[in-house]
Amino acid sequence: MHLEGIHHVTCITGDARSNVDFYTRVLGLRLVKKTVNQDDPTVYHLFYADEEGSAGSDITFFEYPGARRGRAGTGMVHTVTWRVPSPEALSFWEQRLAGAGVSTRRRDDRLAFADPEGLGLELAVVETADRPLVASHPEIPADVALQGFDGVRAFADDPERSRPLLEGALGFAPAGPASWDVRGAARGGLYAFDAPPASGPGVPGAGTVHHVAWSSTMEAHEAWRERVAAAGGRPTPVIDRFWFRSVYFREPSGVLFELATLGPGFAVDEDPAHLGEALILPPAFERLRPQVEAVLTPIENPRAAWSR
Ligand code: ZN
């Protein structure tokens, strides 16, 4: 039994419009679901991914309008890394991001930058047999586009505290002193720790990661939950998120983990050709639609601009 790499990474934004602009127009991802936080329906939940909305490519944001900027600290993910196929792709992104006013740092086969709210992002040249998870964009050739996640890096005071749970219950394979390969039959991703910054404890807020979700097959999901509980973790019950099922717990270094199923997927309630265009509400919130629509920031379908 193995987890199939990263399912999604969920973050916080204080500005949905600028967030949509950066992740769709600049980075070229597809807005695949526009919905609300199922625990607070007045808050947007925006999902950006590849063309199909695949697990492994899916970065999501809760919008708390006007939220102040946070800062990653111990127990928080500080960098999200996507794969690109070649050094030429890194050069493309170096130029494209500069053109969008985003400063970058290139080191060897990596390009580091931040989103408009300071969230740490990185592109890495990675040779892999994993399927490239690519979105279409009129200005970004498919052979340089982002190919899905390579991994996430978090801050921890003492990574050894996490090792027994990660390697025992979750089957993470050691890949370095404080890094692990989380690889299943179809896909893998990396989890790594760095020493926390001297700037002090983390502050949740805009531009920080809320949680990272790891992919489980539908069949193994309950068994993963039981393994975490047996190892002394405190997993939530299985929660039905409609597009997938979820279990949450904090790993021993404090990072909020989710185990999410690889199905049923984003096309269960939308035409795959029109993912992310309409506001989709979970069934329990459908009766609140007029109130919810009145408080959410209006967002235009990013692809509407393509034909203009
Ligand atoms: Zn999640």
Side-chain angles (χ1 to χ4, degrees):
M1 202 161 93
H2 291 283
L3 293 165
E4 301 277 333
I6 293 173
H7 187 287
H8 62 269
V9 181
T10 292
C11 317
I12 295 168
T13 177
D15 182 348
R17 283 187 184 145
S18 129
N19 188 257
V20 169
D21 180 68
F22 184 76
Y23 286 92
T24 64
R25 184 183 60 80
V26 179
L27 290 188
L29 302 177
R30 183 177 187 190
L31 177 64
V32 293
K33 193 65 73 181
K34 185 169 70 173
T35 183
V36 293
N37 182 339
Q38 293 180 18
D39 303 315
D40 179 357
T42 65
V43 170
Y44 256 136
H45 196 183
L46 303 170
F47 293 69
Y48 311 101
D50 70 343
E51 208 55 28
E52 283 90 49
S54 307
S57 68
D58 186 3
I59 188 163
T60 91
F61 286 84
F62 296 130
E63 187 209 22
Y64 294 92
R68 67 176 183 141
R69 278 200 195 187
R71 181 180 67 214
T74 192
M76 295 167 74
V77 170
H78 64 81
T79 300
V80 178
T81 306
W82 281 275
R83 294 173 184 156
V84 291
S86 63
E88 292 72 30
L90 277 194
S91 302
F92 171 89
W93 284 103
E94 207 170 6
Q95 261 194 347
R96 179 171 177 82
L97 289 165
V102 179
S103 58
T104 60
R105 273 174 298 122
R106 184 165 178 170
R107 205 172 344 130
D108 304 327
D109 54 355
R110 288 173 185 269
L111 188 69
F113 54 102
D115 89 350
E117 296 174 299
L119 177 63
L121 305 175
E122 187 182 59
L123 307 180
V125 179
V126 176
E127 269 191 50
T128 177
D130 292 359
R131 189 166 70 89
L133 304 175
V134 168
S136 302
H137 187 288
E139 298 167 2
I140 303 169
D143 63 356
V144 298
L146 275 53
Q147 296 192 334
F149 297 124
D150 191 55
V152 293
R153 303 188 71 88
F155 288 128
D157 296 313
D158 178 11
E160 292 309 311
R161 280 174 57 203
S162 293
R163 189 179 297 280
L165 183 87
L166 300 183
E167 295 180 11
L170 297 177
F172 286 21
S179 73
W180 292 267
D181 193 9
V182 186
R183 175 156 291 281
R187 199 161 190 88
L190 295 169
Y191 185 60
F193 288 124
D194 297 298
S199 53
V203 180
T208 65
V209 172
H210 187 268
H211 63 268
V212 54
W214 304 95
S215 296
S216 160
T217 60
M218 299 292 278
E219 305 73 47
H221 196 230
E222 185 60 43
W224 283 116
R225 187 187 173 282
E226 283 163 18
R227 275 200 188 193
V228 171
R234 312 233 319 255
T236 62
V238 174
I239 299 170
D240 187 356
R241 298 302 192 193
F242 308 101
W243 311 296
F244 45 86
R245 289 185 210 123
S246 300
V247 164
Y248 303 84
F249 58 96
R250 276 190 200 278
E251 58 91 9
S253 290
V255 177
L256 184 58
F257 270 15
E258 174 182 348
L259 303 177
T261 57
L262 285 164
F266 289 126
V268 289
D269 53 7
E270 266 184 301
D271 175 352
H274 295 280
L275 291 176
E277 293 176 17
L279 176 69
I280 303 295
L281 295 179
F285 297 136
E286 195 51 61
R287 68 191 167 79
L288 298 172
R289 179 173 287 271
Q291 294 94 308
V292 168
E293 285 183 336
V295 297
L296 294 174
T297 311
I299 294 172
E300 200 187 345
N301 166 20
R303 296 193 166 191
W306 287 11
S307 49
R308 288 205 290 270

